[in-house]
Amino acid sequence: MKEKMVTLVINGKEVTVPEGTTILEAARQAGIYIPTLCHDPELSPWGGCRLCIVEVRGWKELPAACITPVRHGMVVETESPAVRHARYTLIELLLANHPEDCLTCERTGSCVLQDLAYRYGVRRTRFEGEKRNYPIEDSNPFIVRDMNKCILCGLCVRVCNEIMGKAVIDFAYRGVRTKITPPFELPLEKAGCVFCGNCVAVCPVGALFPKPMWGQGRHWEVKKVKTVCPYCGTGCSFYLVVKDERVIGVQSCPDAPVNGRWLCIKGRFGFGFIHHRDRLKMPLIRDPFLFAKVTWPTSLKLVARRLTEIKEKYGPDAIGVLASARITNEEAYLLNKFARAVLGTNNIDHCARLCHAPTLVALREAFGSGAATNQLAEIAEADFILVIGSNTTETHPVAAIQIQKALRRGAVLAVIDPRRTEIASRAHYHLQLRPGTDIALLNAIAHVCLQENLWNQEFVIYRTENFAAFREAAMQYPPSLAAAITGVPEELIIEVARHYARAKNAVIIYTMGITQHTCGTNNVYAIANLALLCGHVGRRGSGVLPLRGQNNVQGACDMGALPDYLPGYQAVTDPSVRAKFAAAWGVEIPDHPGLTATEMFEAAAEGRIKALYIVGENPMVTKADTSLVKKALENLEFLVVQDIFLTETARFAHVVLPAASFAEKDGTFTNTERRIQRVRRAINPVGEAKPDWEIVTLLAREMGHPWNYSSPAAIMEEIAQLTPIYGGVSYERLEAEPEGIFWPCPHPEHPGTPILHQENFTRGKGRFHPVHFAPPDEQPDKDYPFLLITGRYLTHYHSGTMTRRTPLGFYQETLLEMNPEDMAELGIKPRDRVLISSRHGSMKIDTTPNSNLPRGVVFATFHDADNPINLLVGHRCDPRAKTPAFKGVAVRIEKAVR
Ligand SMILES: Nc1nc2c(c(=O)[nH]1)N[C@H]1C(S)=C(S)[C@@H](COP(=O)(O)OP(=O)(O)OC[C@H]3O[C@@H](n4cnc5c(=O)[nH]c(N)nc54)[C@H](O)[C@@H]3O)O[C@H]1N2
Ligand SMILES: Nc1nc2c(c(=O)[nH]1)N[C@H]1C(S)=C(S)[C@@H](COP(=O)(O)OP(=O)(O)OC[C@H]3O[C@@H](n4cnc5c(=O)[nH]c(N)nc54)[C@H](O)[C@@H]3O)O[C@H]1N2
Ligand code: SF4
Ligand code: SF4
Ligand code: FES
Ligand SMILES: [Mo]
């Protein structure tokens, strides 16, 4: 359908725009400025401040341009004497009850009110307004609210409500007493605020301000460096604000491609770790009980000598490398090269093993690529969204904003999760299944699609294979059976199936609730089957999004930090691939896949692995079966840990190497959309820390390999030569294309691929994999009657090395969340200490009630490094992906003394 166009004249210029465009939008498209205060293109229009008034020939009133649609033949003046006069008066009125210092205030350096006063020549106000005298609200560590400077534009109210799906703040009182506040004047921290700071990001004046930067630096004294968030895989970018070699804050960067101005608490306020006094500033060696500070040459010589000795004595496969999903692509690439070319082993892996390894196996076999199929922004375009095992608002908060946008557009949301998470509470359908029963549920959804003939026959015929086998399997799961297995009412299953199948565009979002089970790989197959059956893949707005966890876990996989793949998912078992890398690197590549991270620890505990080089991971806290990890680390003849802090793991090391943090280096991260983005150095490394790429290069040289990379850009050149999916990536291009590059991007002229599998699947045809439900191997019984789910909180990140070290008050201890009725039955009161035991270990922990948990299910995070929950998680894992079953551990709970 062609849009109807309308032509009008603005300031004598003819402008043609689609019908329904506002005068403001039409003017902006024509490059004509109209001032605004309460308008924001991403928020619903309000028309409250009236600063955007214009004159329309023949109209008696001056209409507000931001809410007035254009009409054919309209003649508009944006700066006529009448308009200027009215604006002058409006600004005077605003200043009338504004603090006296307004025109000289330097709080933000970009105050829209002040700019307007100067623009329209308002020097003082003729009106004697009632000055407000509110106390400054700053009882929380993140946001300062100075309501004396508020102009009541309501932008913060709309952001909180429309973008965040919260309604923490609103207008209260009337007349001159009108004020924006949480209900009952509660402080933000008591009103459900999640401290995303997105209200601060839109405040046009200095009323809302980030507390870390309060009084820290005037705007001309600071430099701003655009970079990418070091936490989750959403890949938000922002400015690091730097003064005198210190990062003092984070500011939204409106042209950030993934997130625009929106961030979550970790991105906006989680930078305090950068300058924390605990940062490693010198290499350390064990001496024999304490760590001694040494120089770089001493530490590197020792590492090179010991690794060489162990390699000579036991062979290269006695050494393992744990790479990191926190470091840059260039650094992960070098670690892959270090393991294979310098050490001579494929024993390299990283935390993707604990995370989306089942996705790498199953989506690869189903679609041909183990990565997300579409962009995050497309979530907002879907009509139906199925979220499975993802606590999206806490773990990918800015991706959750896209879900919120879709909901505002009228999309239908269904969430499959045993817990009533926040995203589940926003959903039209919450399928609160028993942990570990997803396959029965997903097969039943497929059953309904087949039974009711809702499936996409054309797609299945032309684009898929192995349908008959899948059909036969799925037909064994009528909703009544699935209801009995999962505990989800039959009607819910049927309705969700109908919605998914009938949607024009539908996306499935899934994460750890799917992968961290002994049936993780089969769970992912079940998701892929459903997408194939309904043809919801390979189109804009339709796809499967396994949201990747860490900032650069996608990149670490892409760069070959995996035991079976060289960079770009080129199999080590393929002789032609090995020949290519052998020619480029000048060494033979070992031909057998290496050990996974899971297997490396088992091997170390058994004495088959003698040395580990661990970069940017903290397995003592994050790996399953802490007792086994401890035994493995103690057993090693040599352990090198390279981190930014002396972690629980580093305490076992013989040598600790101090790495530079994300703020201190150049490079690239690849986010969950496969978008490659530039990370930029904002400050020099603290102390004598060095970027990981420099450390690995020095180590390789020390071990006799003449590496001489001068910069991350030079490393990327080598990556592009050897990795077809990154073939067109270069730093010049990344500077010229600030939105980033989506792989696959095989050559410099290629535009990149935001949407996968459009004409063909990467593997040709999409393949169905019939899967069956089997009761989880670990069942609750009389001795272990509860099921423990482990996971995350919004404000903490993994082992907490960074989030526990912001001076901003992030820290919370880990609590065991229980259904209040279960607590009552056991006679446990809130904050009572309990002994929790699994078949694998036990520990003491405090309890807290949470009625969003079903009975029989308990929840705890693994963020508390002092009391690691992984003591309870055994080493049961998915047989193919080797991902541990972090979800669904049978436990017993007994009251304990403190
Ligand atoms: N704040 C914060 N954000 C993070 C991280 C962090 O540590 N902190 N870590 C990042 C990383 S690496 C990752 S991988 C992601 C993880 O992100 P998520 O996967 O969203 O986080 P989890 O808390 O591990 O678990 C997700 C959900 O799975 C549900 N679940 C448990 N068992 C089952 C089941 O059997 N079936 C279903 N359908 N659901 C189940 C849980 O109730 C939980 O709500 O988060 C990333 N983002
Ligand atoms: N019980 C339970 N356990 C889990 C999970 C669960 O759901 N439940 N989830 C699992 C998942 S999905 C994941 S991804 C893992 C995460 O497991 P890990 O990756 O081990 O967790 P992190 O705490 O993020 O460790 C990253 C380390 O890198 C360091 N670091 C940060 N930046 C840099 C840098 O630039 N250079 C270097 N050299 N180091 C740096 C940090 O200080 C930190 O010590 O945890 C897993 N463990
Ligand atoms: S910080 Fe976020 S949640 Fe809190 S009031 Fe502002 S927009 Fe709302
Ligand atoms: S959503 Fe993820 S990438 Fe974005 S600011 Fe938060 S932690 Fe950083
Ligand atoms: S910007 Fe149009 S009324 Fe406020
Ligand atoms: Mo993860």
Side-chain angles (χ1 to χ4, degrees):
M1 208 174 61
K2 252 194 99 180
E3 276 177 306
K4 207 170 145 212
M5 301 303 280
V6 174
T7 300
L8 69 160
V9 175
I10 309 178
N11 296 357
K13 188 169 174 183
E14 207 167 90
V15 185
T16 303
V17 290
E19 193 175 26
T21 307
T22 62
I23 298 176
L24 177 67
E25 286 160 349
R28 289 203 170 154
Q29 278 171 37
I32 296 167
Y33 168 81
I34 297 177
T36 56
L37 268 178
C38 73
H39 174 79
D40 191 293
E42 286 189 72
L43 302 174
S44 60
W46 185 45
C49 77
R50 307 208 59 82
L51 223 78
C52 63
I53 43 168
V54 292
E55 189 167 332
V56 179
R57 187 178 297 167
W59 290 30
K60 278 217 235 42
E61 313 275 324
L62 301 177
C66 71
I67 49 167
T68 309
V70 293
R71 294 198 201 145
H72 199 72
M74 222 177 204
V75 180
V76 178
E77 286 295 333
T78 68
E79 295 282 339
S80 69
V83 166
R84 290 188 66 95
H85 180 74
R87 281 197 197 130
Y88 188 99
T89 310
L90 283 167
I91 296 166
E92 280 187 299
L93 285 167
L94 282 169
L95 291 179
N97 44 26
H98 216 68
E100 302 285 354
D101 69 343
C102 179
L103 296 186
T104 52
C105 164
E106 281 171 11
R107 191 171 283 171
T108 67
S110 62
C111 174
V112 179
L113 178 60
Q114 197 182 67
D115 291 349
L116 288 173
Y118 280 95
R119 185 179 185 106
Y120 289 94
V122 185
R123 290 196 193 82
R124 70 182 74 82
T125 174
R126 285 171 290 160
F127 304 100
E128 200 38 66
E130 197 178 318
K131 297 284 180 208
R132 295 164 294 185
N133 192 9
Y134 300 121
I136 288 184
E137 299 164 42
D138 67 344
S139 54
N140 71 79
F142 309 109
I143 297 174
V144 183
R145 288 166 46 86
D146 176 0
M147 287 302 108
N148 302 304
K149 296 223 182 231
C150 171
I151 54 165
L152 299 171
C153 68
L155 286 170
C156 57
V157 174
R158 276 174 282 156
V159 160
C160 190
N161 187 357
E162 298 172 8
I163 300 291
M164 295 308 294
K166 302 261 164 195
V168 173
I169 42 178
D170 204 347
F171 289 91
Y173 315 113
R174 279 161 194 273
V176 286
R177 295 186 57 228
T178 308
K179 184 185 175 192
I180 290 168
T181 171
F184 315 113
E185 304 254 1
L186 283 172
L188 286 174
E189 61 276 20
K190 298 227 167 83
C193 173
V194 291
F195 294 104
C196 60
N198 292 332
C199 49
V200 181
V202 293
C203 179
V205 294
L208 303 181
F209 201 80
K211 191 163 176 186
M213 280 195 276
W214 187 249
Q216 282 294 310
R218 284 166 296 176
H219 56 99
W220 65 84
E221 299 172 321
V222 301
K223 106 179 155 184
K224 294 201 281 184
V225 181
K226 185 176 172 185
T227 193
V228 181
C229 179
Y231 291 105
C232 90
T234 302
C236 301
S237 35
F238 49 62
Y239 290 118
L240 284 175
V241 183
V242 179
K243 187 187 169 197
D244 304 334
E245 276 299 311
R246 282 186 77 82
V247 175
I248 61 165
V250 161
Q251 239 175 41
S252 289
C253 170
D255 62 357
V258 178
N259 55 303
R261 290 161 294 173
W262 318 136
L263 293 168
C264 83
I265 182 171
K266 294 178 296 304
R268 198 180 296 280
F269 297 112
F271 56 87
F273 72 90
I274 298 171
H275 298 288
H276 195 277
R277 61 183 138 70
D278 289 353
R279 277 292 301 277
L280 288 170
K281 298 193 184 74
M282 291 277 285
L284 306 174
I285 58 174
R286 181 180 296 285
D287 178 24
F289 299 112
L290 292 170
F291 283 116
K293 291 183 180 146
V294 295
T295 62
W296 274 107
T298 309
S299 62
L300 292 171
K301 278 201 175 65
L302 177 62
V303 175
R305 177 168 63 76
R306 292 294 288 131
L307 290 179
T308 308
E309 282 167 7
I310 288 170
K311 178 176 166 179
E312 276 163 10
K313 188 158 165 205
Y314 303 102
D317 286 342
I319 309 177
V321 177
L322 281 189
S324 173
R326 312 302 290 276
I327 60 178
T328 63
N329 284 319
E330 294 73 9
E331 294 169 337
Y333 171 83
L334 288 191
L335 276 171
N336 131 82
K337 183 170 175 179
F338 183 80
R340 294 178 157 122
V342 177
L343 298 175
T345 178
N346 284 317
N347 289 343
I348 174 163
D349 204 3
H350 72 287
C351 68
R353 191 61 51 199
L354 313 179
C355 191
H356 267 298
T359 299
L360 285 181
V361 175
L363 277 199
R364 210 177 151 74
E365 287 177 3
F367 298 165
S369 167
T373 59
N374 297 57
Q375 302 158 85
L376 293 171
E378 294 172 53
I379 298 171
E381 297 168 22
D383 311 298
F384 181 73
I385 300 167
L386 184 57
V387 171
I388 317 181
S390 154
N391 181 10
T392 330
T393 57
E394 295 204 59
T395 55
H396 294 91
V398 173
I401 288 175
Q402 301 294 347
I403 303 179
Q404 190 61 27
K405 279 192 189 160
L407 288 174
R408 275 180 66 213
R409 273 188 47 248
V412 175
L413 171 67
V415 173
I416 304 180
D417 198 304
R419 301 188 302 149
R420 190 170 170 79
T421 54
E422 183 175 355
I423 198 74
S425 71
R426 292 187 201 175
H428 300 85
Y429 302 97
H430 178 201
L431 286 62
Q432 199 163 10
L433 82 179
R434 292 192 185 103
T437 61
D438 296 80
I439 292 175
L441 187 58
L442 292 164
N443 278 356
I445 293 176
H447 182 284
V448 176
C449 298
L450 290 163
Q451 186 75 26
E452 301 191 0
N453 233 346
L454 302 171
W455 54 291
N456 188 332
Q457 303 202 8
E458 195 185 314
F459 191 91
V460 169
I461 292 168
Y462 291 108
R463 300 219 33 204
T464 71
E465 61 189 37
N466 207 28
F467 171 65
F470 162 69
R471 178 191 193 119
E472 204 210 306
M475 288 316 283
Q476 295 169 34
Y477 294 83
S480 54
L481 174 68
I485 296 173
T486 61
V488 177
E490 220 177 307
E491 314 77 67
L492 276 190
I493 303 176
I494 295 170
E495 282 191 49
V496 166
R498 289 177 183 158
H499 273 294
Y500 182 68
R502 288 179 181 151
K504 185 164 163 282
N505 290 321
V507 293
I508 301 180
I509 293 170
Y510 75 88
T511 53
M512 297 301 103
I514 278 295
T515 58
Q516 291 176 336
H517 292 280
T518 50
C519 58
T521 301
N522 285 348
N523 280 346
V524 179
Y525 283 136
I527 289 175
N529 288 341
L530 198 56
L532 292 175
L533 181 67
C534 297
H536 281 318
V537 61
R539 266 198 335 276
R540 191 170 173 93
S542 267
V544 178
L545 301 178
L547 299 181
R548 300 302 304 258
Q550 303 240 49
N551 57 336
N552 198 35
V553 66
Q554 183 64 58
C557 293
D558 301 345
M559 292 298 107
L562 293 169
D564 40 358
Y565 292 115
L566 282 146
Y569 308 96
Q570 303 178 83
V572 291
T573 47
D574 180 336
S576 64
V577 167
R578 285 201 308 277
K580 176 170 93 174
F581 280 89
W585 292 350
V587 291
E588 284 307 305
I589 310 294
D591 59 1
H592 50 282
L595 298 179
T596 61
T598 313
E599 293 161 328
M600 280 187 223
F601 282 89
E602 286 161 9
E606 290 163 15
R608 285 180 284 124
I609 286 270
K610 302 288 185 190
L612 281 178
Y613 177 18
I614 302 182
V615 179
E617 293 209 337
N618 193 4
M620 261 308 282
V621 182
T622 57
K623 271 198 57 67
D625 204 348
T626 314
S627 318
L628 177 97
V629 175
K630 182 162 183 275
K631 184 173 169 209
L633 294 178
E634 283 171 348
N635 234 2
L636 291 171
E637 288 187 17
F638 190 59
L639 173 62
V640 192
V641 172
Q642 182 168 311
D643 205 290
I644 59 175
F645 291 109
L646 189 67
T647 60
E648 292 67 24
T649 306
R651 291 179 199 284
F652 288 84
H654 300 90
V655 179
V656 181
L657 301 175
S661 80
F662 85 110
E664 297 147 47
K665 58 193 176 191
D666 283 305
T668 55
F669 291 157
T670 305
N671 82 342
T672 184
E673 304 167 299
R674 297 169 281 104
R675 189 197 295 262
I676 304 157
Q677 306 189 90
R678 267 290 261 114
V679 175
R680 293 186 184 82
R681 178 175 180 143
I683 54 168
N684 291 322
V686 303
E688 295 198 16
K690 288 182 192 294
D692 294 274
W693 65 269
E694 273 187 52
I695 305 176
V696 185
T697 303
L698 290 170
L699 204 51
R701 292 172 68 90
E702 198 64 49
M703 291 180 74
H705 292 251
W707 293 10
N708 53 5
Y709 300 104
S710 55
S711 68
I715 304 169
M716 184 53 88
E717 273 173 38
E718 183 173 319
I719 295 171
Q721 274 166 25
L722 292 168
T723 314
I725 56 174
Y726 279 63
V729 181
S730 66
Y731 275 47
E732 296 79 71
R733 228 184 122 170
L734 286 167
E735 289 303 332
E737 297 171 32
E739 65 285 2
I741 302 172
F742 293 87
W743 69 252
C745 176
H747 55 80
E749 286 73 45
H750 191 284
T753 315
I755 303 172
L756 292 180
H757 319 303
Q758 295 209 60
E759 269 93 46
N760 287 304
F761 281 92
T762 309
R763 69 182 293 282
K765 288 203 166 179
R767 187 170 175 86
F768 284 100
H769 292 83
V771 284
H772 285 285
F773 167 74
D777 60 336
E778 180 140 327
Q779 292 285 359
D781 60 14
K782 165 165 104 337
D783 294 331
Y784 300 97
F786 289 93
L787 268 186
L788 167 71
I789 293 176
T790 62
R792 295 158 167 83
Y793 284 158
L794 169 71
T795 51
H796 274 295
Y797 199 81
H798 296 166
S799 60
T801 58
M802 289 146 69
T803 47
R804 284 171 20 136
R805 285 194 180 86
T806 62
L808 300 170
F810 266 107
Y811 183 67
Q812 306 144 357
E813 76 214 282
T814 276
L815 297 170
L816 183 70
E817 298 183 1
M818 294 182 74
N819 179 292
E821 290 174 37
D822 284 337
M823 289 178 74
E825 210 169 278
L826 295 180
I828 297 167
K829 290 191 290 304
R831 298 291 161 155
D832 270 359
R833 200 151 181 82
V834 296
L835 177 71
I836 176 169
S837 323
S838 73
R839 298 185 177 103
H840 319 282
S842 68
M843 61 191 277
K844 285 182 179 174
I845 186 168
D846 290 355
T847 51
T848 186
N850 184 347
S851 48
N852 293 324
L853 281 169
R855 292 206 60 178
V857 175
V858 296
F859 177 83
T861 69
F862 62 109
H863 302 311
D864 190 347
D866 300 329
N867 200 16
I869 203 79
N870 279 322
L871 278 167
L872 303 175
V873 179
H875 53 265
R876 302 152 49 237
C877 62
D878 179 275
R880 286 191 63 199
K882 304 287 178 201
T883 299
F886 289 117
K887 311 280 189 261
V889 181
V891 292
R892 170 173 65 231
I893 295 160
E894 297 150 292
K895 259 180 101 158
V897 277
R898 239 162 229 288

